[in-house]
Amino acid sequence: MSTDRRTFLKLSAMAAASAAAARATGSQAAGISAAGISEDQARRTGDGVAWNKAPCRFCGTGCHVQVGTRGGKVVAIAGDQQAEVNKGLLCVKGYHVGLALYGEDRLRTPMLRNGGELVPISWEEAIGVIADRIELDPAGFAIYGSGQWTIPEGYANLKFMKGGLSNNHIDPNARLCMASAVTGFLATYGVDEPAGCYDDLDAADVVILWGNNPAEMHPVLFSRLIDRRSRGEEITLIDIGTRRTRSTAHAQHYLEFKPHSDLAIANGIAHLLLKNGTWDRDFVARNCAFRRDDEKGTLNGEAMSFEDYVAALESYTPAEVERISGVPAEKIRLLADLFGDRSLRITSLWCMGANQHTRGTAINSLIHGVHLLSGHFGRPGDAPTSLTGQPSACGTVREVGTLAHTLPGGRVVTNDKHRQYTEEQWRLPAGRINPKPGHHTVAMFEAWSKPKKEGGDIHTIWVQVTNPGQTLPNRNLLLEPGVKDPDKFLICSDVYPTATTAIADLVLPSAMWVEKNGMYGNSERRTQQWFKQVEPPGQARDDVWQLIAVARELYDRGHAGMKDKDGRFLFHMADAQGREVPVWRWERYYDINVDRALFEEYRPFSRLKHKDLAPYDVYAQARGLRWPVVEQPDGTWRETRFRFAAFDDPYVAKGREIEFYHSTTDDGRAQIWFRPYGDPPEMPDTDFPFWLCTGRVLEHWHSGTMTRRIPQLREAMPQAYVEMNRADAKRLGIQNGEQVRVESRRGAVEVPVWLGGRGEPPPGSVFVPFFDERTPINLVTLHLFDPFSKQPDYKKCAVKISRLPPSPPPQRPTPQRQGA
Amino acid sequence: MPVLSAVLTMSPDPRTRAELLRTLALDPRLSLGDPVEDRLPLVLESASREEDRQLWDQVAHSPGVVHCELAYADFSDLHLHPIS
Ligand code: SF4
């Protein structure tokens, strides 16, 4: 590298860091470009790097990066100075987002399994194979997608399945990570997604983490709190968890609870608010009603009187909650005192801990309930806010509606009017959309893994942008039988070989991130857009193209579902002159902006639930906008930071401070739920005496498909491990680093023990991360799920830990598909 | 030869902060910018990916560093796998 260039890079790097430091502290940073580089410097050196915006590919925080490209490659990454979310900063994964494109084993060609081996085939053959599988029995075909699907990808898949095949067997991996948050919001407010936003973290006096570890999982978000505190602001951080984590290290109070007993803690807070008379009478009288489960087990339950609510909570005294949860009574009183103080601003954060829970809907609604009962709602800093793990779990799964029972914009297949509206928007003949919900994730894979003659009605699943081979719970039940059944077929579109491509019959190479156009929606209702900046490798192609090519193949074969009521192709797209563009041909795919066309088609759906979206071109100029985004008289578009609050939300009726305008009771009220604590379905016993919790680590993103290809991240966290408490290890004679067997009633893995590592589980419990495909902990986990959200519980099941003989047997290999 | 820049959030304790600045200034691979309140911009230069990782860890775990975030990374000199 020449001295000039190196000097330039150093100058650029320093400019970016100085600007970010200034931005983060609210100081001025003059003369800095979007990438943090002084435009003078860039001109002087003629560096030749082109900079463009994109959201980070990884977590649901939704940081914006500036992507530097030169010679057709991504060569640099900078935090985006113009982005409100991250103010020019990125976590260690954000830096590596550019390198994630360049693992040497990127998939580059379609491959079909033949005699047990994956053999390269052409795209034409691959598209033909998928069409054949659909034609075999369209009702037995399923799509398993992702919270990493872009908004247009999710929308196109939904339209293809529900509008084209009249088949509702489409569900995303987000079912496994945030479905209980959705049902919690729906049951409480009648509409999904948080009312608050990240700005709450800048205003809160108290932040409560409910089974959440943002220091590792949402690090840039967490840094807002750390930064405020290091500037001398007083913020009380309370960590309610089942193991000590990096977030605990920053908390003033750590409340360690027995797994599953978070329900008792929430009920204990409500009990004390009522007993102490510190609940917010006025807020509740104007804005809330009370609710409990009904006998039919419906999501909306039944109304209950305030008196019944008080009586139901009677037994949740601090002493009783201590008995159930193990949290000392004085800590329950501390929480109740904080919630009872209206001069404070309190923000609750949660993610997988509350969601991956067989009572996930219940604990989600109880957290909302504590905020509503205490009136800690609707002011900046007063908010119950769930976070998402994936970059577009909100934008794609929850808003577009790629779940088995949903239609775009918060509609459901069971509602006649919703189906009718959707059919009209899609120009379909009346009655095309099937009114019966499809299989949710666990049911979909159960149906795939069960022989047809035993009722296994799914013969083919097309997996896109996700890795169920590693992330489904209880893999021995949900995957292995299907892998061995010759009638079953698995298609997988991905960017790298994974535990899923290893068992797939057809593997399709996909473009990723800035190799294609895209849109995401992050955890704070922020819709983000980016343009393609580099070419994908080899024959890798956009996921939307793959889908449209299959749809067109079916259309050409005469499949009626691929035509609208006028006989036009389901994905008819035209140029500015109105001429049809054959976007199903790869060489013509980028003749128009297909993302733009799909997004503009989807946009009107967003208004029913007041989640209004702006035109595509507005997002192209912005660093994301939080919906509802409403056009102003001067033609500009205004985003909304605080929903349901009159001072910011344009949809609150005049004269009201707060209005829950999608109330399930049609009276503008939110529901405060009573939901009792009950034991979890599996608990430690003499045979399996430990609780197992699974989760993520800072360095690796979910199943590690991308981050394990990046040497620095791989070296920093090379393999999975089991965290144990030192006292348990000592009692069992286990040394730090020793290989042990973690075994449940469903399966086992062998991993080394890490004592005093990242986290510190209490006696009687262990933690294993799921990023390492060589030691798939989901052979061990439980597939039981929440009755409303159908989200499985990855956070607790019973296991035993055994020492291995001196020469341990070889690791169980990832199963390979036999034959084709 | 990766070049990255980071923003460190420094401890509010003046003595710890002064000691941190003194220690970081001794490492020739680091260039320190002007602190903005509790935030310190700095550039990390290393000879290889391995050193880059090790240097990042060393900086992030230095006494007095409360938090460490990335602002810029250039990896144009790394061997990236061909795109076709
Ligand atoms: S916090 Fe999440 S979105 Fe932000 S840089 Fe890190 S991984 Fe990317």
Side-chain angles (χ1 to χ4, degrees):
Chain A
M1 187 187 291
S2 74
T3 314
D4 268 3
R5 175 155 165 71
R6 194 148 189 88
T7 305
F8 166 74
L9 287 178
K10 284 177 66 179
L11 278 170
S12 301
M14 184 59 85
S18 299
R23 185 96 165 74
T25 53
S27 314
Q28 288 297 314
I32 302 296
S33 74
I37 303 158
S38 141
E39 279 159 20
D40 270 1
Q41 287 165 10
R43 263 197 306 274
R44 261 204 323 268
T45 57
D47 183 54
V49 175
W51 293 93
N52 270 299
K53 65 157 188 152
C56 172
R57 172 65 181 78
F58 296 125
C59 86
T61 301
C63 297
H64 283 258
V65 300
Q66 281 285 324
V67 184
T69 56
R70 195 177 57 192
K73 283 193 173 176
V74 176
V75 295
I77 291 291
D80 193 327
Q81 307 289 341
Q82 290 182 31
E84 277 303 311
V85 172
N86 52 309
K87 300 179 168 80
L89 297 169
L90 299 170
C91 80
V92 68
K93 280 196 294 287
Y95 156 33
H96 292 96
V97 69
L99 293 173
L101 302 173
Y102 299 113
E104 61 185 316
D105 57 345
R106 275 292 297 268
L107 296 172
R108 289 152 197 269
T109 182
M111 290 180 287
L112 182 67
R113 198 167 295 279
N114 192 342
E117 296 294 316
L118 284 170
V119 178
I121 57 168
S122 69
W123 268 111
E124 289 67 29
E125 287 172 277
I127 299 301
V129 169
I130 300 174
D132 291 346
R133 292 301 300 185
I134 293 170
E135 285 195 314
L136 188 68
D137 170 20
F141 182 81
I143 286 182
Y144 184 59
S146 174
Q148 298 151 67
W149 258 341
T150 66
I151 290 170
E153 284 166 1
Y155 178 74
N157 274 280
L158 182 70
K159 185 178 181 185
F160 173 78
M161 288 296 284
K162 298 191 176 179
L165 297 183
S166 303
N167 172 340
N168 294 332
H169 297 317
I170 172 172
D171 215 45
N173 63 1
R175 177 77 73 177
L176 310 178
C177 68
M178 48 94 257
S180 298
V182 176
T183 45
F185 281 110
L186 289 175
T188 305
Y189 309 103
V191 66
D192 186 25
E193 295 197 47
C197 62
Y198 298 163
D199 302 29
D200 288 310
L201 297 175
D202 301 331
D205 303 298
V206 179
V207 175
I208 302 177
L209 310 176
W210 295 80
N212 183 211
N213 177 16
E216 285 197 80
M217 305 316 148
H218 300 86
V220 167
L221 211 49
F222 192 69
S223 75
R224 286 190 181 208
L225 301 175
I226 302 308
D227 187 46
R228 281 182 62 202
R229 197 185 265 170
S230 62
R231 289 207 306 269
E233 292 185 44
E234 274 200 20
I235 308 165
T236 303
L237 186 64
I238 300 177
D239 181 16
I240 307 178
T242 57
R243 90 188 224 276
R244 286 178 180 274
T245 66
R246 282 192 170 177
S247 300
T248 318
H250 297 274
Q252 287 97 331
H253 302 279
Y254 172 54
L255 281 57
E256 191 166 88
F257 67 97
K258 293 180 197 162
H260 210 69
S261 66
D262 37 5
L263 279 81
I265 296 170
N267 283 338
I269 299 168
H271 168 98
L272 283 174
L273 287 168
L274 295 167
K275 271 276 174 285
N276 299 341
T278 49
W279 57 291
D280 191 330
R281 287 179 168 75
D282 192 41
F283 183 92
V284 171
R286 275 186 286 156
N287 303 310
C288 304
F290 295 92
R291 212 130 191 108
R292 65 184 163 206
D293 289 314
D294 59 12
E295 281 184 3
K296 287 193 207 138
T298 62
L299 181 61
N300 287 339
E302 63 182 17
M304 73 191 296
S305 68
F306 174 68
E307 291 71 26
D308 285 348
Y309 176 72
V310 175
L313 286 168
E314 187 60 37
S315 64
Y316 289 92
T317 61
E320 177 61 3
V321 174
E322 177 173 341
R323 186 190 69 75
I324 297 170
S325 69
V327 174
E330 75 263 20
K331 296 287 189 190
I332 305 298
R333 288 196 188 92
L334 165 87
L335 287 170
D337 288 348
L338 291 169
F339 273 107
D341 183 348
R342 289 285 283 123
S343 71
L344 297 171
R345 306 276 172 122
I346 303 179
T347 293
S348 286
L349 297 177
W350 68 96
C351 197
M352 307 304 164
N355 296 343
Q356 293 179 334
H357 197 307
T358 50
R359 302 288 306 286
T361 306
I363 184 59
N364 269 266
S365 53
L366 290 180
I367 298 170
H368 293 298
V370 167
H371 275 264
L372 293 167
L373 186 66
S374 62
H376 284 284
F377 189 97
R379 303 181 302 176
D382 264 340
T385 297
S386 71
L387 300 172
T388 54
Q390 300 187 82
S392 201
C394 286
T396 303
V397 172
R398 295 161 77 160
E399 292 158 31
V400 169
T402 59
L403 295 144
H405 64 291
T406 52
L407 289 169
R411 292 167 179 80
V412 290
V413 296
T414 47
N415 182 308
D416 295 347
K417 285 191 185 142
H418 292 179
R419 286 198 313 281
Q420 192 187 336
Y421 174 84
T422 307
E423 285 164 354
E424 282 165 11
Q425 290 297 113
W426 288 347
R427 303 165 53 84
L428 301 178
R432 171 76 71 78
I433 297 173
N434 187 336
K436 190 174 167 220
H439 289 314
H440 59 81
T441 295
V442 170
M444 181 190 289
F445 281 92
E446 265 181 328
W448 186 76
S449 266
K450 200 185 266 186
K452 190 176 177 189
K453 59 181 185 308
E454 291 172 23
D457 61 357
I458 298 294
H459 59 77
T460 300
I461 301 178
W462 185 358
V463 173
Q464 298 175 25
V465 209
T466 187
N467 185 9
Q470 193 170 334
T471 55
L472 280 178
N474 195 358
R475 220 175 72 172
N476 284 324
L477 178 78
L478 298 182
L479 267 180
E480 317 294 300
V483 171
K484 293 184 191 119
D485 184 340
D487 292 339
K488 307 288 180 164
F489 198 83
L490 194 65
I491 303 161
C492 182
S493 295
D494 212 324
V495 299
Y496 285 111
T498 66
T500 310
T501 63
I503 56 172
D505 301 280
L506 178 64
V507 174
L508 305 174
S510 291
M512 74 177 276
W513 194 46
V514 294
E515 293 166 350
K516 60 185 180 184
N517 292 332
M519 300 186 84
Y520 280 158
N522 81 349
S523 289
E524 60 162 354
R525 296 179 278 109
R526 185 182 290 274
T527 309
Q528 305 157 303
Q529 178 277 350
W530 75 93
F531 288 117
K532 173 176 177 168
Q533 295 172 39
V534 293
E535 289 297 326
Q539 295 181 51
R541 293 182 184 177
D542 299 36
D543 290 276
V544 171
W545 176 82
Q546 295 176 28
L547 185 90
I548 291 177
V550 170
R552 186 65 189 195
E553 175 68 20
L554 290 170
Y555 174 93
D556 289 343
R557 292 183 187 192
H559 192 289
M562 295 302 134
K563 295 177 182 154
D564 69 13
K565 62 185 173 194
D566 302 321
R568 285 192 330 185
F569 180 38
L570 191 68
F571 293 100
H572 173 87
M573 289 188 195
D575 62 17
Q577 285 72 44
R579 290 173 304 218
E580 181 165 30
V581 180
V583 291
W584 55 90
R585 284 165 47 195
W586 176 241
E587 67 278 12
R588 302 292 306 277
Y589 183 71
Y590 274 93
D591 280 7
I592 58 168
N593 184 338
V594 172
D595 263 32
R596 188 178 189 280
L598 290 168
F599 184 76
E600 289 302 332
E601 184 184 304
Y602 157 60
R603 201 159 74 82
F605 283 98
S606 65
R607 295 191 195 112
L608 175 75
K609 300 288 181 182
H610 300 94
K611 300 183 178 182
D612 310 32
L613 298 168
Y616 180 89
D617 296 338
V618 173
Y619 295 105
Q621 299 302 320
R623 300 301 190 269
L625 292 168
R626 289 165 282 196
W627 55 257
V629 188
V630 177
E631 190 169 17
Q632 303 300 293
D634 64 359
T636 59
W637 295 83
R638 180 189 180 276
E639 65 169 356
T640 304
R641 295 182 304 148
F642 303 99
R643 233 173 146 207
F644 308 131
F647 74 90
D648 196 46
D649 185 339
Y651 288 118
V652 172
K654 285 229 166 352
R656 290 199 67 155
E657 254 178 72
I658 299 279
E659 187 192 14
F660 298 106
Y661 45 75
H662 284 291
S663 168
T664 55
T665 41
D666 282 333
D667 55 2
R669 290 171 184 275
Q671 312 301 317
I672 297 177
W673 281 81
F674 169 69
R675 270 161 163 159
Y677 166 78
D679 285 343
E682 183 174 273
M683 295 172 80
D685 54 23
T686 44
D687 294 335
F688 296 91
F690 286 91
W691 286 109
L692 167 70
C693 177
T694 67
R696 297 167 287 172
V697 295
L698 173 66
E699 291 81 357
H700 291 295
W701 197 70
H702 291 198
S703 67
T705 304
M706 293 176 281
T707 48
R708 288 205 321 113
R709 258 100 192 163
I710 297 165
Q712 285 122 314
L713 296 178
R714 198 173 58 229
E715 284 154 21
M717 183 55 77
Q719 66 180 115
Y721 52 84
V722 54
E723 278 174 10
M724 279 187 89
N725 185 273
R726 286 177 190 279
D728 287 331
K730 190 172 176 196
R731 182 170 50 78
L732 297 174
I734 293 171
Q735 307 295 316
N736 197 14
E738 183 177 337
Q739 196 82 355
V740 296
R741 184 176 170 83
V742 179
E743 183 175 2
S744 73
R745 291 181 175 84
R746 296 158 291 280
V749 294
E750 291 168 9
V751 279
V753 170
W754 195 7
L755 301 176
R758 282 282 165 83
E760 185 76 46
S765 78
V766 297
F767 171 86
V768 180
F770 71 88
F771 71 85
D772 191 345
E773 72 178 30
R774 296 161 302 176
T775 48
I777 191 61
N778 284 317
L779 289 168
V780 178
T781 49
L782 194 62
H783 69 288
L784 297 180
F785 48 77
D786 176 87
F788 302 105
S789 68
K790 320 296 186 211
Q791 177 167 355
D793 191 331
Y794 292 85
K795 297 295 184 189
K796 58 192 97 71
C797 70
V799 295
K800 64 181 168 191
I801 307 291
S802 334
R803 301 186 70 190
L804 298 175
S807 250
Q811 299 267 310
R812 184 183 187 285
T814 303
Q816 297 289 323
R817 196 103 160 91
Q818 297 302 308
Chain B
M1 305 267 278
V3 172
L4 25 153
S5 67
V7 178
L8 305 185
T9 305
M10 298 181 288
S11 160
D13 175 51
R15 282 177 59 183
T16 314
R17 199 181 278 199
E19 181 57 22
L20 171 69
L21 289 168
R22 196 188 65 77
T23 316
L24 295 178
L26 292 175
D27 192 325
R29 299 168 299 176
L30 303 177
S31 310
L32 309 195
D34 295 330
V36 187
E37 299 179 13
D38 61 326
R39 298 283 184 129
L40 175 69
L42 83 170
V43 174
L44 299 81
E45 262 189 294
S46 50
S48 65
R49 274 190 185 201
E50 292 67 40
E51 189 184 343
D52 168 44
R53 174 76 223 175
Q54 176 260 324
L55 185 58
W56 172 274
D57 277 349
Q58 178 191 317
V59 168
H61 295 114
S62 298
V65 173
V66 178
H67 204 74
C68 182
E69 284 158 309
L70 186 102
Y72 179 98
D74 181 281
F75 38 85
S76 53
D77 278 10
L78 296 180
H79 171 70
L80 301 177
H81 292 281
I83 57 167
S84 58

